[in-house]
Every structure is written in structure tokens, then in C-alpha cells.
Amino acid sequence: MTAKKESIEERIDRLHAGRIIDLHFDLPMDLYEKRERENVLATEFLPELEAGDIGVVGVAIYIEDRYLPEIGLRVALDQIARLYTEAYACPRFAICKSWHEIQKARDADKIALLITMEGAEPLGTDLNLLRTFYELGVRSIGLTHARRNAAGNGGVFAAKGSSSDGLTGFGRDLVRECEALGIIIDLAHINPAGFNEILSMTTRPPIVSHTNARRYYDIERNISDEQIKMIGKRHGVIGINSVLVSPKEEESTVDHFIDHIEHVVNLIGIDGVGIGFDFFEFIYSRWPESAKKELAEKFTTPKFIPDLRNHSHARNLTRKLIERGFGDEQVEKILRGNWLRIFEELL
Ligand SMILES: [Zn+2]
């Protein structure tokens, strides 16, 4: 008698049993924009997160230009308030501030939310406020988005042109204080000079929560082979982004998303790659044409992958990884294992 052969869907079920980690999701700004409503998290997001077997999500505080500079801090606090209200209203979620809490949430099969910050704008130039955000649960900070701020400069959405300056004095203080408090420093978006400076100042494994390889999409907002190797040398992890896999619509596919994974693996090994989906079609699709045009002029028109455009599509990624020949152990490291190692080491 031979054992029944496992089907690909059964294999996906088995690989997803330990859940998937996505380290970049613009959830708080959406909850804030919908602040007149209740149970947005449970009704609009939970079904997709559950369908995709998502176990940990990095949820990013991000402040849109229209709130800056005057009410950036206030909107950031409001975003966190919405997140707590919404997460506490639904027992399927747990806001986690430590490795221990993440483990506890995973053991209880809850979806762990890790609060992150994309761009240090909420702090202004007040380092004291970092402590406030730390106490509120922020555990990872990327110093900049694409724009310049008090901490440093973002990488532009072009092959060259971002500032040759690294961090400001405030940016350097911020990096030191993050390391002292135990806040992960996220290198996504920072310009190349800032990237180098942060690595020269820090000792812990660095992360890039959501990015793509410049080899396939050559803009400074993504990362070069040399930068990928620098992350690998320090045992860091790079999360692959689903919205910048190619400047071309026809190349924005799950296969090409996996090309980015494969490229990082070829350069630094299987321990250096994770997921930072950056799904935001749900936000983009609501925008008026004028806002879409503004985004295209300032950055680029996002190219969403048709069958990887929200969390419910995560199985499509795993299926394709299997088809492309990735083994169980490799798939598990990509889907969660590498981020779990970072959490264990840094949180
Ligand atoms: Zn981003």
C-alpha cells in the first residue's frame, strides 16, 4: 500500500498552518479615514486576512502630506487610537509589543498586529516623543517615506536624483535612541546615503520591510545588489513588495514577484528574504482621479499584481513558490520564519 500523495492544495494548507507574516500594511491610515464607523477591522479586513492565513501584520502609521506639518502628530495618535479601538473590539486580533506577546498571540491563533511607523514626521524634531510612541507600541520605524523630513531623505522613484546627504543630526539621534529602546530600524524608502549611514551606526540585524530589487525595477526607492549584500552580511531580512515588481504592467505578476525573492536568495541566501506586501489597492481605488494623477506625477502609477492584490490571495504566492521548486523549509522561511527570527532577536 502506498501513502496517498499530498495534493498541492493540501501542501499549501500544511505550509500555511504556521501562518504568514506581512511586515507592511497601511492599515492605520485607512482606519483613521473611516473613523466615523465601527468594526472596520473585523468586517473589511479580517475576512481577507483569514482567507490568506495571515498571522502577523506590520501595520504602519503613515501621515499624508495634507496633514503636515501642523497635525501630523495628532493624526498619528488618532491612527493608533483607532487601531486599539478596532483591535480590542475583535478578539481575533492582538496588538503585540514583544516577541513574547507575538508568540502568545500565535499560540492562541490570533492575528498579531505589530505597530510600525513609515516616516518619522509624527515626531517632528522632538526625540522625547519617540518614548511616547514606544509606550504606545511602535516597534519599528522607517525614518523617511519618499519625501525629505527632519531625520533624512527618502529615495526617489527614479534611477538617480535623491540627495547625497545622509541623516540629519536629529536622524542620527533617532537611530541611536531606537536601538537603545528596542525599536527596529526599517531601511525601506531611505536614500542610499542614509542607508549606508544607518548601517554604519548600528550593530543589530537590519530590516527592509517592503522593497524590491533594483535589478528588476531600477529606482532609488528599491535596493541595489550591493545594498542587498550589506543586509545579508548583517543577517538582516528584506521583505518583498507586491506593488513595485516592475515598471511594466504586463510584468507585474506573481512569477516576477518570485523573481525578486529568488534574486535576494541568490545574493544572500534563503535566510534573508521575507514578505512586505504593501497592499494598498483598497485605498488607491477610492481615490479621485486627481489624487491618482498626483501619485503618478510624484512617484509612479502602482502596478498591482492581478492575483496578488490583497491578503486573501496569499495562497497564489505559496502555490507559485511550490511550482517554482522551493522546498518546504524554504517556503516556511520566506512566509514567516525569517521575520520570526528577527522578532526573536530584536523584540
Ligand atoms: Zn512604503
Side-chain angles (χ1 to χ4, degrees):
M1 228 174 79
T2 52
K4 188 176 161 286
K5 196 177 174 319
E6 185 182 41
S7 72
I8 194 159
E9 296 307 316
E10 285 165 345
R11 189 167 164 201
I12 297 170
D13 286 341
R14 181 167 54 74
L15 290 166
H16 281 204
R19 305 296 179 226
I20 292 169
I21 299 180
D22 171 13
L23 216 57
H24 189 82
F25 191 40
D26 284 318
L27 175 69
M29 67 186 259
D30 195 62
L31 296 181
Y32 174 68
E33 296 307 328
K34 296 171 181 166
R35 59 194 176 277
E36 307 302 334
R37 289 155 52 186
E38 286 176 9
N39 294 317
V40 174
L41 188 55
T43 56
E44 291 188 19
F45 293 97
L46 182 60
E48 289 180 356
L49 292 166
E50 285 186 324
D53 300 315
I54 309 298
V56 184
V57 196
V59 290
I61 308 302
Y62 172 74
I63 308 300
E64 292 170 274
D65 288 348
R66 61 194 159 118
Y67 296 125
L68 292 172
E70 286 80 8
I71 59 167
L73 171 60
R74 178 175 164 162
V75 173
L77 293 172
D78 261 329
Q79 289 185 4
I80 294 177
R82 289 315 308 159
L83 194 64
Y84 273 91
T85 303
E86 289 275 327
Y88 284 174
C90 178
R92 290 284 291 113
F93 292 95
I95 293 174
C96 295
K97 299 178 180 177
S98 65
W99 167 235
H100 173 71
E101 288 180 8
I102 291 170
Q103 280 177 303
K104 233 173 69 183
R106 285 170 53 76
D107 288 346
D109 199 25
K110 290 182 181 231
I111 297 170
L113 302 176
L114 187 74
I115 307 178
T116 67
M117 188 182 274
E118 183 173 40
E121 281 83 356
L123 306 175
T125 54
D126 186 352
L127 201 57
N128 252 326
L129 289 174
L130 185 67
R131 181 80 207 200
T132 306
F133 282 104
Y134 175 82
E135 296 298 339
L136 292 174
V138 172
R139 287 297 178 271
S140 168
I141 294 186
L143 265 53
T144 70
H145 189 253
R147 63 201 167 206
R148 178 182 172 78
N149 66 19
N153 298 279
V156 295
F157 283 68
K160 55 181 182 208
S162 65
S163 170
S164 57
D165 293 340
L167 308 184
T168 63
F170 172 68
R172 283 188 287 277
D173 288 345
L174 190 55
V175 168
R176 284 186 207 103
E177 195 63 19
C178 281
E179 278 220 310
L181 281 171
I183 296 175
I184 298 171
I185 297 158
D186 180 358
L187 293 162
H189 283 288
I190 193 86
N191 68 332
F195 184 101
N196 292 343
E197 194 171 355
I198 291 171
L199 285 185
S200 73
M201 295 178 61
T202 54
T203 54
R204 300 195 181 150
I207 73 156
V208 189
S209 65
H210 62 300
T211 194
N212 293 93
R214 289 186 67 165
R215 177 190 162 131
Y216 296 122
Y217 195 164
D218 188 18
I219 50 177
E220 284 195 344
R221 184 258 171 270
N222 287 334
I223 56 172
S224 66
D225 289 2
E226 197 192 336
Q227 289 176 310
I228 293 169
K229 287 181 198 162
M230 289 164 83
I231 297 289
K233 218 173 260 168
R234 296 267 298 270
H235 309 290
V237 177
I238 295 163
I240 302 300
N241 187 332
S242 71
V243 296
L244 291 171
V245 301
S246 171
K248 294 182 190 154
E249 186 114 41
E250 66 273 20
E251 286 178 5
S252 299
T253 63
V254 179
D255 254 316
H256 203 39
F257 182 91
I258 294 174
D259 292 337
H260 287 262
I261 292 177
E262 222 161 51
H263 185 61
V264 172
V265 172
N266 288 339
L267 289 174
I268 64 173
I270 192 67
D271 293 338
V273 68
I275 304 291
F277 284 126
D278 198 9
F279 293 133
F280 73 97
E281 195 187 26
F282 66 102
I283 294 171
Y284 184 80
S285 62
R286 281 200 319 268
W287 284 359
E289 281 312 312
S290 59
K292 290 179 184 171
K293 213 175 137 224
E294 199 186 315
L295 184 83
E297 281 163 6
K298 263 204 298 202
F299 306 131
T300 180
T301 302
K303 308 285 189 306
F304 301 110
I305 298 174
D307 45 353
L308 190 61
R309 56 209 306 160
N310 65 56
H311 287 111
S312 75
H313 293 159
R315 289 180 79 86
N316 297 336
L317 171 61
T318 309
R319 190 178 303 109
K320 191 64 88 174
L321 283 168
I322 293 168
E323 286 170 7
R324 292 271 294 255
F326 286 82
D328 285 355
E329 200 185 323
Q330 293 178 306
V331 173
E332 286 177 342
K333 283 186 173 185
I334 296 164
L335 296 184
R336 63 183 162 274
N338 291 331
W339 285 136
L340 288 175
R341 171 177 62 81
I342 290 290
F343 299 155
E344 186 174 8
E345 280 182 48
L346 301 184
L347 294 179

